[in-house]
Amino acid sequence: MTPTTKQKDHRNPQLPWWEQILRGERNDLLAQSVRRFAQLSSWGYAAGMKSRELAYRHGIFSVKRLPHPTICVGNITVGGTGKTPLVIRLATDLMAKGLRPAVLLRGYKREKSSRQPVLVRDAKRICATVAEAGDEAMELASRLPGACVGVGADRHAVGNEIMKSQPVDCFILDDGFQHLRLERDINIVTVDVTDPWGGGRLLPAGLLREPPQALRRADVVVLTRSGSVGPDRLSVLRAEVAMHMSPSSALLESRHEPRQLISLLGRRMLPPSELQGKKVLAISAIGNPKAFENTLTQLGAHLVGSLRLADHSGRAEQVHQWIVRNRRHTEWILMTEKDAMRWGFSAGIPTGLEGLPAEAFALRMELVLSAGEDHWRQLIALVERMVHAK
């Protein structure tokens, strides 16, 4: 099968079968039966989530607190909603004010999982490998010189471990909206306008971690990828999201803008405009592969094929073999920066993987606020005041 043929197939065989079913990419008898069973299971999931929330609210489950202001960045759906670019923007703006943030992550799908906290980066250098840290933590570590990054299932323990050796004064809890065991001062929730409600059903029948009403716990909601839908659709989404928010919360909008093409075989960087007219193979293992591929086509690339792997999955050898099989159809190879971190391409070619095309790049994206800049500045100023009040 050529990449062009694969591109025309709306079903994505690289996704896990359950995700194909949840996203409606399979409609055979088995898929319909699984969806009916999943709907029944989602009722139990909803009851469990509500009971858990009430248990934390009424003190049945204990809540721990770190000694410095803590800002949570999370979402209510499974998959990529643009949290990482927002965390990078948040940490960068806090450091610009002279603050010293530490980013705390779970370290999802680390190859070398450990019960102990792992310091991924201190204020001066990267201290762990991608296998120990995970791809998201490693991307943050490379993009945030001067900040600290740590991973571990117990984010309270991770924060305390970092404080033993690093002079941090605030914490950013990445993907922690449902991590209720750690108290936070500010909740920021991202909602991807291209798939805001995860099919409208809770797990496992849909992709919602929590119902939309959970947005009432948010202090700030950021609509991400706002440039990917038309003005009418965006207006409807604003109203839908605002309906579930607390009246005192702020609603912001953002875009993910391509900034640089980073060569996987050297230190060369090119502007994204260089993609214009190029035949491209796109490779991704992220929660929203369509958004990545749409960005490439919007930049003028001709997408002749794509490899979509499940979020945070895939091996470098597997990716390399696919490239070798399909490179004759293309001029350039493109992947996300996070995936380049995961597969080791960002530091050069891994051992035994010689032969990548010279024009192989990771696309660096940055979050740009398109509405609510004043609210964002107020948020940064609030954190600054909280830190100095300690």
Side-chain angles (χ1 to χ4, degrees):
M1 178 182 292
T2 67
T4 303
T5 303
K6 183 178 290 186
Q7 186 65 19
K8 293 178 180 178
D9 185 359
H10 294 293
R11 179 190 298 185
N12 182 5
Q14 301 297 340
L15 289 176
W17 64 271
W18 58 268
E19 192 167 347
Q20 292 180 33
I21 291 173
L22 291 185
R23 291 186 180 277
E25 296 184 8
R26 288 182 54 171
N27 287 295
D28 50 66
L29 183 60
L30 173 62
Q32 294 173 28
S33 299
V34 169
R35 277 196 288 268
R36 282 194 291 268
F37 177 76
Q39 181 59 58
L40 294 174
S41 301
S42 72
W43 296 338
Y45 173 87
M49 288 293 293
K50 187 63 177 178
S51 299
R52 176 174 174 268
E53 181 185 347
L54 290 173
Y56 276 109
R57 185 186 303 172
H58 295 292
I60 299 172
F61 293 163
S62 62
V63 178
K64 297 180 180 180
R65 180 172 180 83
L66 289 165
H68 299 307
T70 301
I71 307 99
C72 170
V73 178
N75 62 13
I76 60 170
T77 59
V78 174
T81 59
K83 294 188 307 296
T84 299
L86 184 61
V87 168
I88 292 171
R89 171 69 187 267
L90 176 60
T92 300
D93 288 356
L94 292 175
M95 286 191 288
K97 293 292 186 179
L99 303 185
R100 296 167 295 189
V103 184
L104 312 178
L105 304 91
R106 176 185 170 191
Y108 185 60
K109 287 198 174 180
R110 287 179 286 164
E111 292 181 20
K112 296 181 179 179
S113 185
S114 169
R115 289 183 176 273
Q116 300 302 314
V118 176
L119 179 62
V120 181
R121 117 157 264 136
D122 61 23
K124 296 181 179 179
R125 63 188 180 89
I126 294 176
C127 313
T129 66
V130 67
E132 296 167 326
D135 48 20
E136 288 182 345
M138 190 57 67
E139 181 181 1
L140 290 168
S142 67
R143 295 286 304 274
L144 293 173
C148 295
V149 179
V151 300
D154 184 346
R155 260 62 67 88
H156 182 261
V158 176
N160 280 317
E161 185 66 26
I162 289 176
M163 287 192 301
K164 291 179 181 178
S165 60
Q166 303 300 314
V168 301
D169 54 24
C170 57
F171 294 99
I172 300 172
L173 181 59
D174 187 316
D175 196 14
F177 194 53
Q178 290 79 36
H179 190 69
L180 301 180
R181 71 175 69 173
L182 182 61
E183 189 173 344
R184 69 290 311 272
D185 299 281
I186 299 170
N187 268 317
I188 304 173
V189 176
T190 56
V191 175
D192 183 351
V193 300
T194 65
D195 186 18
W197 310 122
R201 294 180 177 179
L202 289 169
L203 290 167
L207 300 176
L208 278 172
R209 293 173 169 181
E210 296 186 77
Q213 292 79 5
L215 293 178
R216 188 162 291 273
R217 302 202 314 270
D219 301 290
V220 177
V221 175
V222 182
L223 299 180
T224 60
R225 302 190 176 98
S226 61
S228 300
V229 297
D232 292 343
R233 175 59 179 156
L234 187 57
S235 179
V236 170
L237 282 174
R238 284 193 204 104
E240 288 180 358
V241 171
M243 178 177 63
H244 297 297
M245 294 170 55
S246 168
S248 61
S249 300
L251 180 60
L252 285 62
E253 297 171 18
S254 68
R255 301 188 307 272
H256 286 50
E257 292 192 353
R259 288 297 191 225
Q260 290 175 320
L261 298 170
I262 304 172
S263 174
L264 301 184
L265 305 183
R267 300 186 179 277
R268 188 164 55 116
M269 294 187 181
L270 297 176
S273 58
E274 291 292 320
L275 277 172
Q276 181 69 42
K278 299 294 192 303
K279 294 180 179 179
V280 168
L281 290 177
I283 305 169
S284 61
I286 56 178
N288 192 339
K290 287 183 180 179
F292 172 61
E293 294 165 12
N294 288 341
T295 297
L296 299 181
T297 57
Q298 288 166 7
L299 289 168
H302 176 49
L303 196 61
V304 297
S306 64
L307 175 65
R308 295 181 183 177
L309 301 171
D311 198 11
H312 302 281
S313 72
R315 294 172 291 103
E317 294 85 353
Q318 175 186 7
V319 173
H320 183 268
Q321 290 168 5
W322 187 85
I323 291 172
V324 169
R325 288 197 304 270
N326 296 290
R327 58 178 296 183
R328 67 182 181 276
H329 301 284
T330 190
E331 297 173 286
W332 282 16
I333 308 293
L334 266 293
M335 63 182 66
T336 71
E337 193 170 8
K338 183 187 78 170
D339 290 328
M341 293 286 176
R342 179 176 183 81
W343 298 322
F345 293 118
S346 60
I349 305 177
T351 304
L353 298 185
E354 295 79 5
L356 275 178
E359 303 302 344
F361 294 90
L363 178 63
R364 172 166 290 180
M365 305 289 290
E366 288 187 4
L367 182 138
V368 176
L369 291 173
S370 52
E373 185 78 43
D374 288 345
H375 287 297
W376 183 260
R377 285 195 292 266
Q378 291 169 15
L379 171 68
I380 300 300
L382 173 61
V383 177
E384 187 179 15
R385 290 195 301 272
M386 292 168 63
V387 169
H388 293 321
K390 287 289 183 180

